Amino acid sequence: MGRASTTAASTAAAVAALTGALALSQFFRSCLAVIAPELSHDLGLTPATFGVLSSSFFIAFAAAQLPVGLAFDRWGVGRPSTVLLAVGVVGGLAFAAAPNGPTAMLAQAALGVACAPVFMGLIHYASEHLGETRFVRVVGIANAIGMVGALFAAAPLGWAAHTFGWRPAMVVAAGCMAMACWAVHRHVQDQGHADARAESPARMVGASLALLRIRPLWTLIPLCLALAAGTSFRNAWGGPYLAGVFGLDTVARGWAITLISVVAIGTAFLLPVLVRRGSQKRTVQGWTLMSLAMALLLAAAPGFALPVDLALLALMCTVGMLHPIVMAHGRGMLPPSMRGRGLGILNTFVFLGSALASAGFGWIAEAGQRRGLPPATTFGWIFGAAALLLVCGALPYAFSPARPSPPTPAGAGPTA
């Protein structure tokens, strides 16, 4: 086998390992939606504390993005990801054994830290080893395959939780995390950038924060936050909505979330095709506006009919599948030696948005409960908040450059 074919095979193996880890990440960020009522009962959670529980994962995930991006630029994707995935094994077991809400929140935070490098690591590794055309296609396909984890967090988890309880299911998931950790350790063997290793940690942090002075990035950052309008329902609040408004039990919720995940997977395969036939910007704009329309319809009629509202919810949630395209758009604004850090900053806002939206939806739900509002009315307000979030993301994105060009590393601090 020649050197080129060996390199291609090793790159494919690394992408496959990271895609497998991404599936586990999707499972852990999505699993609360199906088992939310059971978790709330077993751990004594109110709607607000359930919101905090689900946001614990995303707060830790967001907080880890910049340090992970620094580590990627300095040492490559493999070593930092292996260490953090090992933390996830411990977090998964701790969550399965959690006796109360605070312990579960700490375990969720550990899982958030563990999953923090996975998607960004896939993007960073692919951007270093693939050309731009293959990058968009491979990342889009890997993102779609990774959604299999969300599928397992739907009907299979609902069945397992109903049959065996949610705690044994989490133990199995922790075991799968251990296998993903081994695969990344075995196959992702990159080394990072020599110029990044030559920088002191303080200088790297300063240069990373200076990336926020690249003005075009601020046309993407509000949309990064707004993606939570969809992901918060697929990852956490879809379950309480379906249980509270339509009375679905664990198994039925699992099948409903499965449908949402199937639509998301189909969207993940469709979006790269739309990008190739049109452009990144037009695809993102059009899909965001479609999701906004779904959110407005749900806000107006959150309890109209299960088949209709479930279809609207599934389409609204697909806005989260724009994540890799927005990252690819931002990649074009970043110098190569700082892409790990730059993508980490953008990813920070994506998951900060998820954390804030999940907690905010919890506050709205608890306020509605205190006032004695029907669940449909309460969720109408929550969908209205999601629609507002999408508007706030879509407006700045309209001014983003269609074909961004990266600044030089020395010019990363000033505006681009």
Side-chain angles (χ1 to χ4, degrees), residues 1-16 125 134 187:
M1 183 179 290
R3 181 175 179 179
S5 58
T6 301
T7 301
S10 62
T11 298
V15 170
Y125 186 91
R134 285 194 68 205
H187 294 292

Side-chain angles (χ1 to χ4, degrees), residues 50 81 110 122 174 198 246 251-252 274 287 289 299 309 321 345 349 362 390:
F50 173 76
S81 298
L122 174 63
F246 296 106
V251 175
L274 297 179
W287 210 269
L289 292 177
D309 286 340
M321 304 313 294
I345 287 172
F349 285 102
L390 287 170

Side-chain angles (χ1 to χ4, degrees), residues 326-346:
V326 176
M327 294 296 106
H329 197 167
R331 171 182 180 264
M333 304 175 187
L334 301 166
S337 65
M338 302 184 74
R339 281 178 182 157
R341 285 166 273 182
L343 293 173
I345 287 172
L346 289 177

Side-chain angles (χ1 to χ4, degrees), residues 295-370:
L296 290 172
L297 288 171
L298 283 165
F304 177 72
L306 177 59
V308 174
D309 286 340
L310 182 56
L312 295 176
L313 179 63
L315 290 172
M316 187 192 79
C317 287
T318 59
V319 73
M321 304 313 294
L322 293 173
H323 187 179
I325 303 178
V326 176
M327 294 296 106
H329 197 167
R331 171 182 180 264
M333 304 175 187
L334 301 166
S337 65
M338 302 184 74
R339 281 178 182 157
R341 285 166 273 182
L343 293 173
I345 287 172
L346 289 177
N347 235 17
T348 297
F349 285 102
V350 170
F351 290 96
L352 180 61
S354 293
L356 294 176
S358 190
F361 294 166
W363 296 331
I364 295 173
E366 183 143 320
Q369 190 178 76
R370 284 200 306 267

Side-chain angles (χ1 to χ4, degrees), residues 23-87:
L24 266 296
S25 175
Q26 289 285 4
F27 175 89
F28 281 111
R29 74 177 74 167
S30 305
C31 65
L32 299 188
V34 172
I35 58 175
E38 291 75 20
L39 277 175
S40 297
H41 175 270
D42 293 350
L43 302 179
L45 305 177
T46 67
T49 53
F50 173 76
V52 174
L53 173 67
S54 61
S55 69
S56 298
F57 180 100
F58 295 106
I59 290 172
F61 199 118
Q65 291 303 301
L66 181 54
V68 166
L70 293 171
F72 285 172
D73 284 337
R74 198 175 186 93
W75 296 298
V77 172
R79 283 181 286 175
S81 298
T82 299
V83 172
L84 294 181
L85 286 169
V87 172

Side-chain angles (χ1 to χ4, degrees), residues 249-297:
D249 62 16
T250 309
V251 175
R253 288 195 307 272
W255 283 111
I257 300 298
T258 296
L259 174 63
I260 292 172
S261 298
V262 168
V263 173
I265 291 172
T267 301
F269 281 110
L270 175 62
L271 288 173
V273 176
L274 297 179
V275 170
R276 286 198 301 272
R277 294 183 177 181
S279 70
Q280 288 178 343
K281 184 172 179 178
R282 285 201 297 270
T283 299
V284 171
Q285 283 180 306
W287 210 269
T288 302
L289 292 177
M290 181 277 294
S291 297
L292 171 61
M294 301 302 104
L296 290 172
L297 288 171

